[in-house]
Amino acid sequence: MIRNRLASLLADRGIKISRAAMELPNISRNTITNTASNNGKMIQLETIDTLCQYLNITPAEFFEYLPFDLEYHADITENDATTNEFFDYIDLPNNGIKFDFYIKKIVHNGTPSKLYSFTGVIEKRTFLENNEVYLYVKLQSDTNDFKEIWDDPKAAGFKPMIWQNIKKTIANEINRSMMDRFPQMENDPFDYTDDSGSSLLISSDFNTDASYNKHSDDELPF
């Protein structure tokens, strides 16, 4: 895995993206924002060159690297969601969705792949005062061996990316399962949960969202 360190490099220097965009007229603000977020699949060499000169660093300092890739996969094993005769809402009981989750470590040098296995459950759904909806997810492993990656100091910069990919994979599988369960809604497609995974609050053996504990014991309507 490879990622750029633009966000932290700018923050260390107290430089905002808006300022960088003004001082680098040959690079658009959107390009700087997407680069700092590691959202793009490709960065032009000219962009890297300009940013390295601007920050007075080398390309080796611009990037960080882990000598493996991670793939993510989720399989819903139980979905107890219900709807009404008009199919205009979905009700999900506590612990109403269960799933298996896998992270596969791949090294492209002939080293055997390693599979990290988890079981997951959607414990509850909450509606907060600002009308935001969150799904509380419990992700557990019998071995807890994924901590060997998560706790590796070399992986520190990759943690937000890994966590986001976990959420996106689970969210997309939930949405797929809902569409399979309620095919009557096929002509009115919807996302049961944001496909970016931003509405998932996860507690796992290796990491837990801060907001998970903040609201986990609240008595909130479902």
Side-chain angles (χ1 to χ4, degrees):
M1 293 189 294
I2 191 168
R3 68 182 295 274
N4 72 73
R5 301 179 55 244
L6 180 57
S8 59
L9 290 167
L10 290 174
D12 290 345
R13 291 160 174 76
I15 300 174
K16 294 183 177 181
I17 288 177
S18 56
R19 173 185 161 188
M22 290 180 60
E23 296 178 341
L24 297 170
N26 61 322
I27 303 179
S28 71
R29 178 168 179 164
N30 284 341
T31 296
I32 297 174
T33 299
N34 289 333
T35 302
S37 302
N38 279 278
N39 287 334
K41 292 185 177 181
M42 180 177 65
I43 310 176
Q44 297 290 336
L45 289 176
E46 182 180 357
T47 300
I48 298 171
D49 183 29
T50 300
L51 289 171
C52 284
Q53 291 185 43
Y54 177 66
L55 296 168
N56 193 27
I57 60 172
T58 67
E61 295 170 295
F62 184 75
F63 291 103
E64 60 181 332
Y65 171 74
L66 286 176
F68 57 83
D69 290 321
L70 296 177
E71 291 184 354
Y72 310 84
H73 183 76
D75 283 318
I76 301 293
T77 57
E78 181 179 324
N79 186 340
D80 295 329
T82 59
T83 187
N84 62 7
E85 60 182 315
F86 303 107
F87 305 104
D88 56 7
Y89 77 92
I90 291 179
D91 183 53
L92 182 67
N94 291 355
N95 303 314
I97 291 181
K98 297 178 181 178
F99 60 94
D100 294 326
F101 186 76
Y102 306 95
I103 302 177
K104 188 176 183 181
K105 177 183 177 182
I106 302 172
V107 184
H108 300 283
N109 64 359
T111 302
S113 300
K114 183 170 183 178
L115 191 66
Y116 302 93
S117 301
F118 305 83
T119 57
V121 59
I122 309 300
E123 296 181 308
K124 65 178 181 178
R125 178 177 56 161
T126 62
F127 300 85
L128 303 185
E129 293 179 357
N130 56 4
N131 292 324
E132 292 186 47
V133 180
Y134 289 99
L135 298 179
Y136 285 74
V137 183
K138 192 76 171 180
L139 196 63
Q140 294 179 302
S141 170
D142 291 336
T143 59
N144 198 21
D145 51 356
F146 188 70
K147 284 179 67 67
E148 66 188 17
I149 289 180
W150 190 262
D151 291 343
D152 186 340
K154 295 179 181 178
F158 291 86
K159 286 182 178 181
M161 181 189 303
I162 294 172
W163 197 239
Q164 181 181 8
N165 285 333
I166 290 172
K167 289 189 170 188
K168 287 175 63 175
T169 303
I170 295 172
N172 287 331
E173 178 62 7
I174 290 172
N175 288 334
R176 184 205 62 76
S177 176
M178 288 299 187
M179 291 305 299
D180 286 349
R181 186 167 179 81
F182 306 113
Q184 301 89 343
M185 297 181 177
E186 183 177 1
N187 294 326
D188 184 23
F190 70 101
D191 286 339
Y192 181 76
T193 184
D194 189 295
D195 60 8
S196 70
S198 61
S199 59
L200 300 185
L201 299 177
I202 299 179
S203 172
S204 74
D205 301 317
F206 56 90
N207 189 45
T208 297
D209 284 310
S211 296
Y212 179 96
N213 292 322
K214 181 179 179 181
H215 298 294
S216 61
D217 295 325
D218 292 352
E219 290 297 330
L220 296 171
F222 290 84

